[in-house]
Amino acid sequence: MDRASLHRDQIRKGSGVPYIAHLMSVSSRVLSAGGTEVQAIAGLLHDAAEDQGGEPTLAIICKRFGDDVARIVSDCTDSWVEPKPEWRARKEAYLRALPNKPATSLLVSLADKVDNAEAILSDYQQIGEALWDRFTGKRQGTIWYYRELSEIFQRALPCPLADLLSRTVSAFPEH
């Protein structure tokens, strides 16, 4: 198992961009924000368990990359249940748990959310309202989720990356 083979056939929602670009961006953002090698590896793998096999994939990550990487990947995962719970309930549960995560995990999650928010904003500026059809939460839910994330990160991990998330999300259209 390597991150390229796990995500080999994935692309970012509606963009045509290979998903590996997102994973590399998250890892780079972690390092640029002062993260460790362990956090950078977790940034590369943060979606592996959630999107590619659940707990068996997490066990492989733990064996190959260690407990610390696996813990961060686990903390970035919003559900271990299959099929996944309804979108809003799953996101609300993730938001409730987020402030209690360790700072090592928060940095990786924050880097992920910044990269996602910037992609959303860029795509919105290019294609407009049609963008929201890509997301389960549609326009209102997606904007709500990212605004809530931004507020939590501002309190739980105040740093320049949290400020960047706040600026990006503030550029999202009003509900």
Side-chain angles (χ1 to χ4, degrees):
M1 175 201 74
D2 63 57
R3 67 191 171 277
S5 67
L6 275 175
H7 298 284
R8 165 180 56 246
D9 297 326
Q10 280 184 277
I11 57 169
R12 290 202 75 155
K13 289 181 182 178
S15 71
V17 174
Y19 198 73
I20 190 75
H22 167 63
L23 303 175
M24 293 173 72
S25 178
V26 170
S27 183
S28 176
R29 289 174 190 275
V30 165
L31 289 170
S32 294
T36 66
E37 180 180 350
V38 164
Q39 288 170 295
I41 293 167
L44 290 169
L45 297 167
H46 76 275
D47 279 337
E50 184 172 311
D51 294 345
Q52 302 294 329
E55 290 179 326
T57 298
L58 186 64
I60 294 168
I61 290 169
C62 186
K63 183 177 180 183
R64 290 194 62 189
F65 299 100
D67 291 340
D68 293 338
V69 170
R71 191 171 305 108
I72 294 169
V73 170
S74 177
D75 285 343
C76 291
T77 301
D78 72 5
S79 177
W80 293 105
V81 177
E82 286 295 331
K84 288 184 180 183
E86 182 268 328
W87 182 86
R88 179 77 180 221
R90 192 172 78 241
K91 298 307 180 187
E92 287 174 349
Y94 184 77
L95 291 169
R96 278 192 306 275
L98 193 59
N100 301 313
K101 303 287 183 186
T104 52
S105 298
L106 287 173
L107 180 60
V108 175
S109 180
L110 175 57
D112 172 39
K113 303 316 184 214
V114 167
D115 196 65
N116 288 340
E118 286 185 341
I120 290 168
L121 183 59
S122 176
D123 288 353
Y124 178 75
Q125 291 167 341
Q126 291 177 35
I127 66 170
E129 291 299 315
L131 164 79
W132 307 113
D133 291 336
R134 296 178 186 172
F135 299 99
T136 304
K138 302 297 184 194
R139 182 185 205 269
Q140 183 177 356
T142 302
I143 292 171
W144 160 82
Y145 181 59
Y146 278 89
R147 288 190 173 146
E148 291 292 318
L149 286 165
S150 179
E151 289 179 21
I152 290 168
F153 282 117
Q154 284 290 338
R155 290 188 309 269
L157 192 69
C159 64
L161 201 55
D163 294 340
L164 178 56
L165 180 61
S166 179
R167 286 191 306 275
T168 303
V169 169
S170 70
F172 284 5
E174 292 299 317
H175 296 304

